[in-house]
Amino acid sequence: MSFIYHLAVMGAPSAEQISELETAVADAVSKFGLRLGQEIGWEVVPGDFSPHQQRSAAVVFFGGVGTDHPSLLRLLRSGVPVVPVVSDLGRVTTEVPEILRSLNSLSYANGGARRVASALLECAGLLPKQRRVFVSYRRDEARQAALQMFDALSARHFEVFLDTHSIAPAEDFQTMLWHRLCDSDVLLMLDTPDYFNSRWTAAEFGRALAKGISVLRVGWPEAECSARLATASLAELDTSELDVSSGRISDYAIDRICLQLEEVRSKSHAVRTVNLVSNLRIGIESIGGEVIGMGTGRGIRVRLPDDRMVVVYPTVGVPTSTTMHEASMNSPDESVAILYDHVGLHPQWLSHLDWLGQYIQAARWVKACEAGWQFADWRA
């Protein structure tokens, strides 16, 4: 069978780790409408592994004392990403073969199967490698907790937007805030009693929903769960997990929230991708074209009314020149479009994208809300 993506597990995982990881990966990819064993190859490999020339392949290697695998050198030379996993980051030299020690390892104890699944899907190209979280909170009620979450998430390789840390001097604060929100995977909502009484936090929450960004609500014990939170994921705080005098959240609750955030992030990216593809399908069908299906690297093959083919890359968040480069490299001999949602992006960034589009012809930008309009006059 020819898979779109090909994932493999090597090394010395326990039966429990294999089961946990397979469940976590299957759950994450199902949100994209993909299935293990169908669109996605899944193997636990004791011997040689060949990903059948698939460009979208990735491997997780569970380390152990004396553990190695004969395929590692060939995989690395062919550019297949390998994620080393250890029991503890202090045991890398003991549990990881020398050929992998230059690679950044993950500790299974810090995040478990969900974190490893996210890393595997990031390497395969299903999830972005950028891990971005927007912390929404009221300064007078949750400043200390927000700082705690900033530190904890940063330590877990998330890029965290916190209003007091993330906007440079002389920037238009509100315009840049919305731009950064658009580029976030999850809105982490610190829901204190007066959260919705602030114009700005209420707007952050509402605009996250408008963009399809998933919300993880960390609810204070005394805060009522608003009807607006029907679609949010919940991480409620117990009275024992919040020090009222200092405003600090317990370390146990911090770990629990960070772990749940991994799952919510996968869901958020999938929902936003599906929304983009839905806009693409509506636009293409409105002009008499057809969406054929997904290929490698998340490319969507589209047939225009005159039978020309275009590979469209739906891009969640803020597209960049790197987005254009990767799309053109994935489909070097085809007509390529990059589909994105422009609403909320900084005007200067939109001007930058227009400039790139004028001077680089390898791929073209297409706004999701204008898909039919732009493809009706497509110039290869």
Side-chain angles (χ1 to χ4, degrees):
M1 179 180 292
S2 178
F3 302 115
I4 300 175
Y5 299 90
H6 203 167
L7 309 177
V9 181
M10 294 180 174
S14 67
E16 182 180 12
Q17 287 173 327
I18 293 172
S19 176
E20 289 175 347
L21 182 58
E22 183 172 351
T23 298
V25 171
D27 180 62
V29 301
S30 69
K31 297 178 176 67
F32 292 89
L34 304 174
R35 297 156 295 174
L36 292 188
Q38 298 294 320
E39 297 83 6
I40 298 184
W42 176 258
E43 295 184 55
V44 180
V45 186
D48 187 56
F49 172 64
S50 297
H52 308 301
Q53 306 303 313
Q54 295 294 312
R55 284 175 290 178
S56 297
V59 171
V60 58
F61 181 90
F62 281 84
V65 177
T67 303
D68 207 336
H69 197 283
S71 298
L72 290 176
L73 178 60
R74 179 171 48 78
L75 289 172
L76 293 175
R77 284 178 173 172
S78 62
V80 175
V82 179
V83 182
V85 176
V86 293
S87 60
D88 183 87
L89 292 179
R91 296 183 58 81
V92 170
T93 55
T94 305
E95 296 181 353
V96 174
E98 186 174 356
I99 193 173
L100 298 181
R101 288 177 194 167
S102 63
L103 305 179
N104 196 21
S105 296
L106 290 178
S107 166
Y108 199 82
N110 189 7
R114 289 181 186 173
R115 177 65 187 102
V116 176
S118 292
L120 194 57
L121 296 179
E122 288 164 14
C123 289
L126 259 171
L127 288 175
K129 292 190 176 182
Q130 296 86 356
R131 297 157 51 77
R132 293 176 174 144
V133 179
F134 187 105
V135 181
S136 179
Y137 70 107
R138 290 204 61 166
R139 292 186 189 179
D140 57 343
E141 292 184 317
R143 179 181 176 83
Q144 188 58 48
L147 292 171
Q148 275 186 279
M149 293 308 311
F150 180 89
D151 290 341
L153 290 167
S154 297
R156 289 166 173 80
H157 308 290
F158 281 96
E159 183 179 333
V160 188
F161 178 87
L162 192 65
D163 58 354
T164 56
H165 287 57
S166 307
I167 297 181
E171 284 280 5
D172 183 320
F173 182 88
Q174 212 60 52
T175 301
M176 182 54 69
L177 183 143
W178 300 132
H179 183 85
R180 294 293 297 272
L181 174 65
C182 293
D183 206 28
S184 298
D185 302 320
V186 180
L187 180 88
L188 182 64
M189 171 193 186
L190 304 186
D191 191 13
T192 48
D194 283 330
Y195 179 90
F196 281 114
N197 292 332
S198 163
R199 170 193 171 187
W200 297 116
T201 48
E204 289 166 5
F205 173 84
R207 288 188 169 179
L209 295 188
K211 292 287 289 187
I213 299 168
S214 292
V215 174
L216 177 58
R217 180 215 186 215
V218 179
W220 262 233
E222 67 274 22
E224 294 185 11
C225 193
S226 168
R228 304 187 208 182
L229 293 159
T231 61
S233 298
L234 305 179
E236 309 297 87
L237 293 176
D238 184 80
T239 52
S240 64
E241 296 177 323
L242 181 67
D243 186 328
V244 178
S245 61
S246 68
R248 291 182 63 83
I249 301 173
S250 72
D251 290 341
Y252 170 79
I254 291 284
D255 290 340
R256 174 169 59 83
I257 293 164
C258 291
L259 186 59
Q260 189 171 348
L261 192 65
E262 292 284 356
E263 181 179 0
V264 175
R265 172 179 176 256
S266 298
K267 172 186 173 184
S268 183
H269 190 76
V271 167
R272 295 175 77 186
T273 300
V274 168
N275 288 344
L276 283 170
V277 175
S278 177
N279 282 333
L280 173 66
R281 186 180 301 278
I282 291 169
I284 289 295
E285 291 179 354
S286 72
I287 62 172
E290 180 185 10
V291 174
I292 305 300
M294 180 181 287
T296 58
R298 291 179 288 130
I300 307 292
R301 298 192 69 81
V302 168
R303 179 182 290 115
L304 298 181
D306 60 5
D307 288 333
R308 285 182 298 164
M309 300 295 295
V310 180
V311 182
V312 183
Y313 288 89
T315 301
V316 170
V318 177
T320 67
S321 57
T322 300
T323 311
M324 180 176 278
H325 176 255
E326 290 177 349
S328 60
M329 293 296 289
N330 283 337
S331 304
D333 300 317
E334 301 187 82
S335 187
V336 174
I338 300 167
L339 187 76
Y340 71 104
D341 179 5
H342 75 289
V343 176
L345 301 192
H346 199 294
Q348 290 182 358
W349 196 263
L350 293 174
S351 176
H352 167 67
L353 295 182
D354 288 341
W355 179 85
L356 277 176
Q358 290 175 17
Y359 289 95
I360 300 177
Q361 304 299 318
R364 290 175 56 192
W365 305 112
V366 174
K367 295 176 181 176
C369 64
E370 299 177 356
W373 181 268
Q374 291 188 240
F375 281 115
D377 183 29
W378 184 255
R379 291 166 285 108

